Amino acid sequence: MAASPSTTAPGPEPSVRAPEPVAERHPQPARAKQRRTRNRAGKRPQVALLILAVPAVAFFVVFAYLPMAGLVVAFKDFDVNLGIFGSPWSGLANFRYFFSSGDAPRILVNTLFLNVLFLGATLLAGITLAVMLNEVRHKLFKRTVQSVIFFPYFVSPIVISIILQVLLAGVGGSGGAANDLLKVFSLPEVSWYTEPGPWPWILTIVKVWQLGGYLSIIFLAAITSIPEEVYEAGMMDGASRAQMALRITVPLLRPTAAVLLVLGIGRIFYGDFGTIYAIVGDNGTLFPTTDVIDTYVFRSLRQLGDFGTTAAIGLFQSVVGFVLVVAAVLVQRRYAKETSVL
Amino acid sequence: MRRRVEPFTVVSVVGVTLFAVACLIPFWMILAGSLTSESKLSISGYSFFPKPFSLDAYETIFTGPAVLSAYRTSAFITIVGTAISLAATSGIAWVIARRLPYISKPLAIFTYIPMLFTGGLVPLYLLVTQYLKLQNNLFAVILPLLVAPFLVFIQVSFFRQLPEEILESARVDGASELRIFFQIGLPLSKPILAVIGLFYAVTYWNEWFHALLFISEPDKYPLQLLLQNLISSVTNAATLPQSTAQAAPVYQIRLALTAVTIGPILLAYPFAQRYFVKGLTLGATKG
């Protein structure tokens, strides 16, 4: 829910399904059903009803579909005075410029590597937390823990960035809580904000902190839908709690995890702009490990004002992203049919 | 029969407790730090206990005009944005949920496509700055986030669970479709309206990206953007040699402003949390 249009949370995404007949959910006498169908077919929908959809439709046209058309700017030599559609065509020059710039491999590798890391770590954390929470019998304690671990999800990237500075930077780039902790174990201090090496892991920890509780709620919902008999059977056979968690709960969570994984893979080409940009900002020393497509695009736009090239990168990202998302949705539907979860 | 406490249970309780503590510590450090005197903060950068105690930062924040005006801006974006978003989202969700022939299905696809493919940053930037001319207008922050397709579909699945009989009986009594929506559909949907409203409200409150892009006049900064500027300025100050004599307690102010920014969410959280959980589980199981 955070800042940018491309912020990714491997959260649930609804799928559009073919409308199922209402009667499936509300079984009722055949006659009533018949009357309704006749009503619906016989009466034309009241036009007034459509007014309700107008604001949202207007929004989608202006802020979703117009920008899609605006992507032609990727093939243009953009001139502010001539506008998007008046500027001269430049063919693939913008794409060539980006892919020959030498930045392309770095930001592509970073985007994929970081997202794989985030996805794996957050899913693992979500499952672990859910399985552990499931062991907690004390109701109040459980609810309190859930509330607490869910809270980071609602904190803005800016606040997270401040927290990191308090922990890592301290004053004048040295000190900070983390370094003081290192000192306790007589380890050498690290100048975190000038050292690109550890940042993929720091960002991963941030993502786990941010999303672990959120995902654990989704997994916990899946656990509650596991029939009690399964566990009773396990208990009869003398399984320990640990065995039941590892041999029953975790395997039964696999479909949910698979769906989330597939959806996450679908969005793997979109960096988490909000979090990364808020934390790293324009700190060039960290770019080798943290610069992703979204932050790169944003910076080129702001600093160079090069609309053509930036749009070309954006289009490239959208197209590859689209292919991945569609593939993900197709796979997800197959899973969804089998599992009825998500 | 009392169940024997097994090692796995103990490990689990310890595990979730540790994670919960790890979630809390940063917030405690911000709160404690914001109440700690700059004399300590400017040496260590953090503090676990507000000692020596000081309210300097809060005093500076609430006597100066910048923070109060940013608070007003954020409140405006959140309240106006959430209201419009809720109206637009419920409206389209209702039309999709009614399963009107030739209308609902195409409308659902129309709503779904933006989840798959986006124009990206550059066309949006050009649209808002060159064509709509919304620079330094708060609606530049509100409008790009107005309708989230994901929330539309959550709402559709809720609307479809409403008992058809009630709507049907209103129809038989001659109520118009619009009247059914306003007088029956919406009142029956209060729980989901709360969930969706809260999702929008948090999004708007935390929004800074569009503000960063489109708002350049400091007196129109929302809270998050003000805070972001403080990050970079303190970072800059920190990398500079200490010759920049600091009159204001910058470290403390930074933490106090963070606390003030989280404040409203923290206050609303106990009330909102159960709705969030409900909404999430609904989204997760119904889709």
Side-chain angles (χ1 to χ4, degrees):
Chain A
M1 278 294 112
S4 80
S6 50
T7 298
T8 53
E13 279 181 48
S15 50
V16 184
R17 297 205 191 119
E20 337 150 24
V22 185
E24 222 171 84
R25 280 189 201 139
H26 305 283
Q28 45 183 295
R31 206 185 323 144
K33 201 168 84 185
Q34 232 173 33
R35 197 185 55 205
R36 207 178 54 243
T37 358
R38 207 174 45 229
N39 245 353
R40 190 166 288 168
K43 233 200 247 167
R44 288 186 42 227
Q46 295 186 32
V47 180
L49 190 60
L50 301 185
I51 292 171
L52 294 176
V54 168
V57 168
F59 162 80
F60 283 123
V61 168
V62 175
F63 285 96
Y65 288 94
L66 273 185
M68 287 182 205
L71 273 172
V72 295
V73 78
F75 303 100
K76 297 243 177 176
D77 186 9
F78 182 75
D79 184 332
V80 177
N81 299 318
L82 298 174
I84 291 182
F85 298 100
S87 297
W89 294 96
S90 68
L92 294 175
N94 290 326
F95 293 88
R96 225 171 284 135
Y97 179 78
F98 168 61
F99 283 105
S100 58
S101 70
D103 293 328
R106 185 193 68 196
I107 66 168
L108 291 179
V109 167
N110 279 345
T111 306
L112 291 176
F113 177 65
L114 285 177
N115 274 320
V116 168
L117 216 54
F118 294 169
L119 190 59
T122 50
L123 282 181
L124 200 63
I127 294 176
T128 313
L129 282 171
V131 168
M132 285 179 156
L133 270 172
N134 192 42
E135 288 299 305
V136 177
R137 293 288 140 204
H138 194 283
K139 279 260 168 60
L140 182 66
F141 178 72
K142 187 175 177 178
R143 215 179 314 139
T144 314
V145 167
Q146 267 186 298
S147 306
V148 168
I149 66 177
F150 194 15
F151 188 69
Y153 181 73
F154 301 105
V155 172
S156 78
I158 303 287
V159 169
I160 291 181
S161 175
I162 297 243
I163 291 173
L164 271 183
Q165 288 193 345
V166 168
L167 292 175
L168 299 179
V171 172
S174 69
N179 277 332
D180 287 356
L181 191 67
L182 287 180
K183 253 189 271 172
V184 173
F185 297 103
S186 46
L187 290 164
E189 278 199 16
V190 181
S191 172
W192 300 100
Y193 281 86
T194 56
E195 190 67 56
W199 278 91
W201 313 106
I202 296 174
L203 291 174
T204 306
I205 294 172
V206 168
K207 293 309 283 186
V208 166
W209 183 82
Q210 219 181 357
L211 295 175
Y214 163 87
L215 286 170
S216 77
I217 286 180
I218 294 180
F219 282 115
L220 205 58
I223 291 180
T224 21
S225 71
I226 297 173
E228 193 58 37
E229 296 85 58
V230 184
Y231 290 102
E232 276 163 18
M235 218 141 38
M236 294 281 223
D237 292 343
S240 69
R241 299 290 306 168
Q243 282 171 325
M244 285 201 276
L246 286 177
R247 300 272 166 80
I248 299 177
T249 314
V250 172
L252 286 175
L253 282 180
R254 228 164 15 197
T256 313
V259 169
L260 290 176
L261 185 71
V262 160
L263 289 174
I265 290 173
R267 311 221 106 242
I268 216 159
F269 231 63
Y270 297 92
D272 181 353
F273 175 83
T275 311
I276 294 181
Y277 188 76
I279 293 170
V280 176
D282 298 325
N283 181 355
T285 42
L286 302 185
F287 289 168
T289 56
T290 58
D291 206 14
V292 293
I293 300 178
D294 290 304
T295 50
Y296 184 84
V297 165
F298 180 75
R299 266 203 334 275
S300 334
L301 182 69
R302 294 259 296 185
Q303 291 170 359
L304 311 175
D306 183 350
F307 293 104
T309 312
T310 352
I313 310 169
L315 178 60
F316 168 70
Q317 183 188 26
S318 294
V319 170
V320 180
F322 175 72
V323 172
L324 287 173
V325 170
V326 169
V329 168
L330 292 178
V331 176
Q332 179 235 350
R333 285 195 161 188
R334 173 159 299 175
Y335 267 105
K337 264 185 210 136
E338 287 168 17
T339 61
S340 81
V341 177
L342 277 173
Chain B
M1 189 181 81
R2 224 185 128 79
R3 205 154 39 84
R4 197 165 49 89
V5 178
E6 294 191 30
F8 183 67
T9 310
V10 177
V11 171
S12 296
V13 171
V14 173
V16 293
T17 311
L18 284 180
F19 193 84
V21 170
C23 287
L24 279 180
I25 285 180
F27 298 111
W28 172 251
M29 286 175 77
I30 284 175
L31 186 65
S34 74
L35 295 168
T36 307
S37 155
E38 180 80 359
S39 60
K40 173 159 193 293
L41 286 180
S42 62
I43 295 168
S44 64
Y46 69 98
S47 106
F48 274 106
F49 301 100
K51 220 173 152 187
F53 184 81
S54 147
L55 282 172
D56 289 355
Y58 288 101
E59 236 175 84
T60 319
I61 282 182
F62 285 113
T63 49
V67 173
L68 289 180
S69 122
Y71 232 109
R72 267 197 300 275
T73 306
S74 282
F76 177 84
I77 290 173
T78 306
I79 294 167
V80 173
T82 306
I84 306 178
S85 289
L86 259 183
T89 305
S90 321
I92 195 170
W94 183 261
V95 179
I96 294 176
R98 294 261 45 77
R99 301 179 206 276
L100 304 171
Y102 308 114
I103 293 169
S104 295
K105 193 96 193 279
L107 211 53
I109 294 168
F110 180 79
T111 309
Y112 190 51
I113 288 173
M115 287 177 85
L116 301 180
F117 193 84
T118 58
L121 180 61
V122 177
L124 177 72
Y125 183 79
L126 291 176
L127 175 76
V128 173
T129 57
Q130 305 291 323
Y131 294 90
L132 302 176
K133 309 251 183 244
L134 284 174
Q135 290 111 311
N136 288 315
N137 186 326
L138 293 184
F139 280 94
V141 181
I142 293 175
L143 292 179
L145 294 170
L146 205 62
V147 182
F150 170 58
L151 296 179
V152 172
F153 288 114
I154 286 196
Q155 187 139 0
V156 168
S157 67
F158 185 90
F159 280 150
R160 285 197 176 152
Q161 288 176 335
L162 292 179
E164 185 70 22
E165 294 79 4
I166 298 181
L167 308 180
E168 184 65 22
S169 70
R171 224 167 271 142
V172 169
D173 289 344
S176 72
E177 289 288 334
L178 274 183
R179 197 158 161 214
I180 294 174
F181 171 68
F182 284 110
Q183 297 201 329
I184 299 172
L186 283 188
L188 284 178
S189 307
K190 275 183 200 143
I192 198 70
L193 288 176
V195 174
I196 286 176
L198 288 166
F199 268 112
Y200 277 123
V202 171
T203 309
Y204 282 120
W205 183 259
N206 284 341
E207 174 56 30
W208 61 284
F209 173 68
H210 293 104
L212 182 65
L213 276 179
F214 302 126
I215 308 282
S216 54
E217 292 171 7
D219 58 327
K220 286 184 179 158
Y221 279 2
L223 214 43
Q224 303 283 351
L225 193 57
L226 194 70
L227 197 57
Q228 201 238 355
N229 271 27
L230 217 56
I231 296 180
S232 34
S233 70
V234 174
T235 311
N236 295 341
T239 47
L240 288 172
Q242 291 300 324
S243 62
T244 47
Q246 295 147 352
V250 281
Y251 286 97
Q252 202 192 351
I253 285 181
R254 196 172 56 144
L255 296 179
L257 194 57
T258 312
V260 162
T261 309
I262 308 174
I265 300 184
L266 199 59
L267 289 181
Y269 188 65
F271 155 76
Q273 188 248 350
R274 65 201 177 97
Y275 287 112
F276 274 119
V277 174
K278 209 185 282 173
L280 257 185
T281 355
L282 187 76
T285 51
K286 289 283 177 248

